[in-house]
């Protein structure tokens, strides 16, 4: 029998072991400590130790280390850097198979932190129950399903008696859910490969790009005054309605979005970049004109728009200019320019789909009967840092990304198994395997 067939048969024959491994991962509540109501030790270390145990049983060379924020200072202003973040008890992990082999190398990459369970679960969020072919639990989709799939793909190859011709690095990092400093540190630590699969959920499509995300807050000033009384001109001390002034900017955003809808598109994205207003906060009580209005928005940007630090500086500048210009048509706003504050800049990246790595991945999907569909992700993932250092990277994993962070998050077991097969096939085709 061909070795590849043996590997695929091993996967079909070990369905229960694959499910069991994902259940073990979900049962460690590795919630990112940012979500804790009160300080407590993170369980990220427990899950990394569980994974390290599994990888070393399979013969990997293990390295586990805690990131040190101080050592990453050189990345100030770049994606994933948060000064002073604490990683005590929160290690990153790398397990290397086939070290020193001559073939092409592959990094299988994922995060092991999850968001908190939240409310309205109908099952135990850390119970990992399987009901009607669905495995439930916090992280089932985002992204312990992907982490389990990538590790079981390596196991399938090695347990089928094959040997790797090129190195496979399994990298699992902490702290994705609040910014991606774990991934930054992993790349800073020096791990490199000729290709990378980031096993974030993509419903088994290939996502060669993600978008950058900016959160901003605009403060529009007004001047309070009795809302039922006649008001003098603002130059003579009369009230100014901050809500009305904010509306000028909201209308301007509508025009901007028409422009962006035509301009900021990508062939692999179903929606254009837009400025979406997410929150409005204004006014103090019903008898006074609002003396301030706050607009909180979410704007997305394309990898092609990144600045020289690989983040959204160009788009920030574009939006600042736009907002100031829109304000200047109004005499009050011209004298009282809105203040803009940037809250978040989550980085992004893109891999050339014509390159050999993405093409190998497309073929792997086709070989297990999938269409090999390519579709970008509208949201942020950890893919930027591998790409920034020249590693062709795709997001590919089991699970529907729209179920991430939901109550009753679940992954279809069949999809998990298919993902194991696709990843195993990619390892076979990219790194090469031979009889042990
Ligand atoms: Zn994720």
């Amino acid at each position: 029998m061909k070795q590849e067939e043996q590997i695929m048969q091993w996967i079909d024959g070990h369905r229960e072991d694959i499910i069991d491994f994902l259940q073990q991962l979900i049962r460690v509540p590795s919630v990112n400590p940012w979500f804790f109501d009160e300080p407590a030790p993170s369980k990220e270390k427990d899950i990394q130790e569980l994974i390290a145990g599994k990888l070393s049983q399979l013969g990997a060379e293990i390295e586990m280390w805690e990131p040190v924020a101080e050592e990453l200072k050189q990345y100030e202003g770049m994606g994933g850097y948060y000064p002073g973040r604490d990683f005590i008890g929160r290690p990153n992990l790398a397990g290397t198979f086939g070290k020193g082999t001559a073939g092409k190398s592959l990094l299988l990459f994922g995060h092991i932190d999850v968001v908190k369970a939240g409310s309205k679960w109908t099952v135990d969020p850390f119970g990992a129950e399987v009901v009607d072919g669905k495995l439930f639990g916090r992280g089932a989709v985002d992204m312990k399903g992907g982490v389990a799939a990538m590790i079981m793909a390596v196991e399938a190859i090695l347990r089928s008696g094959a040997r790797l011709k090129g190195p496979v690095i399994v990298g699992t990092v902490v702290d994705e859910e609040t910014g991606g400093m774990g991934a930054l540190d992993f790349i800073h630590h020096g791990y490199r490969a000729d290709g990378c699969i980031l096993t974030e959920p993509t419903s088994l499509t290939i996502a060669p790009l993600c978008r950058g995300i900016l959160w901003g807050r605009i403060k529009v000033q007004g001047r309070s005054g009795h809302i039922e009384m006649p008001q003098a001109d603002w130059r003579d001390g009369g009230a100014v309605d901050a809500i009305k002034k904010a509306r000028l900017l909201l209308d301007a955003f509508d025009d901007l979005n028409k422009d962006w809808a035509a301009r900021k598109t990508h062939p692999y994205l179903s929606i254009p970049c837009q400025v979406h207003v997410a929150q409005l906060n204004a006014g103090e009580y019903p008898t006074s004109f609002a003396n301030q209005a706050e607009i909180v928005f979410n704007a997305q940007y394309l990898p092609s728009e990144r600045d020289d630090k690989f983040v959204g500086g160009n788009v920030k500048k574009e939006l600042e200019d736009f907002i100031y210009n829109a304000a200047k048509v109004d005499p009050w706003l011209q004298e009282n320019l809105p203040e803009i504050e940037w809250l978040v800049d989550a980085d992004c990246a893109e891999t050339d789909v014509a390159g050999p790595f993405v093409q190998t991945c497309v073929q792997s999907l086709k070989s297990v009967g999938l269409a090999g569909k390519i579709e970008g992700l509208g949201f942020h993932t950890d893919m930027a840092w591998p790409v920034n250092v020249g590693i062709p990277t795709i997001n590919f994993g089991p699970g529907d990304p729209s179920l991430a962070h939901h109550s009753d998050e679940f992954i279809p077991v069949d999809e998990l198994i298919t993902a194991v097969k696709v990843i195993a096939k990619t390892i076979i085709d990219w790194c090469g395997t031979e009889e042990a």
Side-chain angles (χ1 to χ4, degrees), residues 90-288:
R90 309 179 62 205
N92 276 341
L93 169 67
T96 306
F97 297 90
K99 196 171 187 177
T101 48
K104 287 198 287 274
S105 57
L106 181 65
L107 169 61
L108 299 171
F109 202 34
H111 66 85
I112 48 74
D113 60 322
V114 293
V115 297
K116 71 175 179 182
S119 59
K120 298 194 177 165
W121 284 76
T122 62
V123 292
D124 175 358
F126 301 106
E129 272 175 67
V130 181
V131 185
D132 294 332
K134 297 170 181 168
L135 204 168
F136 287 86
R138 175 53 82 229
V141 171
D142 182 14
M143 60 170 283
K144 292 179 176 177
V147 168
M150 71 196 197
I151 294 169
M152 294 308 292
V154 177
E155 175 159 12
I157 290 171
L158 299 176
R159 298 265 190 239
S160 303
R163 199 187 349 237
L164 295 165
K165 285 187 181 171
V168 173
I169 302 158
V170 171
T172 51
V173 298
V174 296
D175 208 38
E176 188 270 351
E177 293 294 357
T178 54
M181 199 150 170
L184 164 61
D185 172 74
F186 188 90
I187 293 298
H188 169 75
H189 205 72
Y191 281 98
R192 297 292 181 272
D194 298 314
C196 170
I197 303 178
L198 178 55
T199 55
E200 285 276 7
T202 62
S203 300
L204 302 182
T205 62
I206 291 174
L209 75 143
C210 70
R211 290 198 294 189
I213 305 295
L214 296 173
W215 295 357
R217 175 162 42 214
I218 308 170
K219 282 187 186 156
V220 180
Q221 299 306 327
R223 188 190 285 146
S224 55
H226 200 303
I227 211 163
E228 297 143 21
M229 301 279 286
Q231 292 293 332
D233 186 87
W234 65 267
R235 288 179 190 84
D236 304 321
V240 178
D241 181 0
I243 293 174
K244 233 177 198 166
K245 300 301 175 193
R247 193 190 289 165
L248 290 174
L249 297 184
L250 298 179
D251 288 344
F253 279 150
D254 286 347
D255 293 336
L256 181 73
N257 280 336
K258 281 180 203 147
D259 170 42
W260 279 24
R263 209 152 54 78
K264 301 208 179 191
T265 60
H266 189 286
Y268 292 123
L269 289 171
S270 58
I271 46 172
C273 297
Q274 297 278 274
V275 179
H276 288 304
V277 174
Q279 287 171 266
L280 290 173
N281 309 307
E284 287 167 330
Y285 47 92
T287 49
S288 179

